[in-house]
Amino acid sequence: MTVGVALNAADAPNQVDATVRLAQEAAAAGLRSAWFGQTFGADSPQLAAIVGREVPGLQVGTSAIPVFGRHPLLVAGQALTAQAATHGRYHLGLALGTKLLTETGFGLPFARPIARLREFLTALRQLTQTGTADFHGELLTATTPVPARVPGADDGVPILVAAMGPQALRVSGELADGILPYLAGPRALADHIVPALTAAAEAADRPAPRVVALVPGVVTDDVDTVRQKATEYLAFYEQIPSYARVLELSNARRASDVAVIGDEKTVAAEVRRYRDAGATEVVFSGTEIAGDENRRRTWALLGELAS
């Protein structure tokens, strides 16, 4: 099983330089992948491309670009460029996004998100695989009067979706290479998410999808203090319906209840629980909330688990 980390250096004097340094440290610890979030700040495909060039051998990915406010032609160009820059080590993550950020940030109605995801994936798959598209949907049009291919990215780009609800899982199983669930505990994965995803892929005669579980977690001896920080750090997600639902399915009251916090033995056991629940890859996030010492301790353990 691949083990990776989500890197967040948004508070550094120079986010790009700091992210490269973190990625080098992660790779030295034995971690296999580094993932980058996407909000309204740094462009995550560019960040992934830079890190992938600077840290050879490390898989890099975006987790995840919302489909609202973007177009498949533009996202395909970003993803293919990152794939060429990293010589095949880039993984593109997409997300529905949220009503709050979509309508407040872009001034767009958060309407028919599943239909938009389906059309976005259909057009994007054509573009990343062939460099051409002739797609005319209800919500999106994507055609290529001139080729959209990027030499050096001829094998395409793995596409994953931050899907956790039944409809998004069905679309992802049919059209994507896997999913990027966040705040979904082992119970939600094993009982709800993985079975629905697998069934959709099988019905579409597609290979078994990847399940890249993003897990907030830290190795520490000061469990109570770090969990309190995690409660504050993760509280934002509790107001978003998709996360509230998956937390309930995980038998969690607060988002921090699914955070993996404890000593090495405790955290290793929880990583194994995610594997047993169907995760093909585990990516730890939020390690920065507990300070550099605990972050390095966390990465050292994850590197051992990755080997």
Side-chain angles (χ1 to χ4, degrees):
M1 178 177 63
T2 299
V3 180
V5 287
L7 299 182
N8 181 2
D11 294 332
N14 185 302
Q15 184 174 356
V16 175
D17 290 345
T19 301
V20 169
R21 287 194 294 270
L22 284 173
Q24 290 169 334
E25 188 176 333
L31 291 159
R32 306 294 178 81
S33 66
W35 297 78
F36 311 94
Q38 180 67 64
T39 52
F40 297 132
D43 183 78
S44 56
Q46 287 193 61
L47 202 53
I50 292 167
V51 168
R53 295 285 285 189
E54 293 287 332
V55 190
L58 192 67
Q59 301 287 317
V60 291
T62 293
S63 175
I65 298 175
V67 295
F68 284 91
R70 273 84 175 178
H71 190 278
L73 278 166
L74 299 179
V75 173
Q78 290 178 296
L80 290 168
T81 302
Q83 190 67 304
T86 60
H87 296 272
R89 289 179 282 117
Y90 177 69
H91 308 256
L92 171 64
L94 298 176
L96 293 175
T98 68
K99 180 181 177 68
L100 173 65
L101 296 181
T102 298
E103 296 188 349
T104 303
F106 292 109
L108 297 172
F110 191 71
R112 302 182 65 190
I114 299 299
R116 180 171 293 273
L117 176 64
R118 180 178 290 279
E119 292 191 6
F120 204 104
L121 283 169
T122 302
L124 185 67
R125 179 68 72 180
Q126 294 178 18
L127 290 161
T128 56
Q129 289 184 340
T130 69
T132 62
D134 186 17
F135 179 79
H136 302 267
E138 293 183 69
L139 304 173
L140 293 171
T141 294
T143 65
T144 47
V146 296
R149 61 183 296 271
V150 176
D154 300 314
D155 292 333
V157 179
I159 301 173
L160 303 103
V161 179
M164 296 185 291
Q167 295 183 75
L169 289 168
R170 186 179 307 116
V171 173
S172 300
E174 294 174 8
L175 298 172
D177 299 303
I179 59 170
L180 292 157
Y182 180 52
L183 297 181
R187 177 177 175 178
L189 284 177
D191 294 347
H192 301 278
I193 292 174
V194 174
L197 177 71
T198 303
E202 289 176 350
D205 197 27
R206 289 182 53 80
R210 294 165 57 190
V211 178
V212 183
L214 277 81
V215 181
V218 179
V219 174
T220 181
D221 294 323
D222 192 359
V223 174
D224 292 340
T225 298
V226 173
R227 192 168 296 280
Q228 180 57 41
K229 290 182 179 180
T231 299
E232 298 168 3
Y233 179 78
L234 299 170
F236 166 78
Y237 296 97
E238 297 168 0
Q239 64 184 307
I240 300 172
S242 59
Y243 290 110
R245 176 183 177 275
V246 81
L247 287 171
E248 182 179 358
L249 294 175
S250 302
N251 199 29
R253 187 178 62 86
R254 301 294 306 268
S256 58
D257 292 341
V258 299
V260 177
I261 301 171
D263 61 15
E264 281 82 356
K265 183 178 179 180
T266 299
V267 172
E270 287 299 304
V271 170
R272 286 192 291 272
R273 286 187 66 213
Y274 276 91
R275 178 197 61 199
D276 294 342
T280 59
E281 300 155 65
V282 172
V283 174
F284 263 42
S285 68
T287 56
E288 68 277 2
I289 68 169
D292 286 344
E293 182 179 348
N294 286 322
R295 174 181 58 77
R296 294 190 180 100
R297 186 175 166 186
T298 305
W299 289 8
L301 171 67
L302 296 177
E304 292 177 11
L305 297 176
S307 64

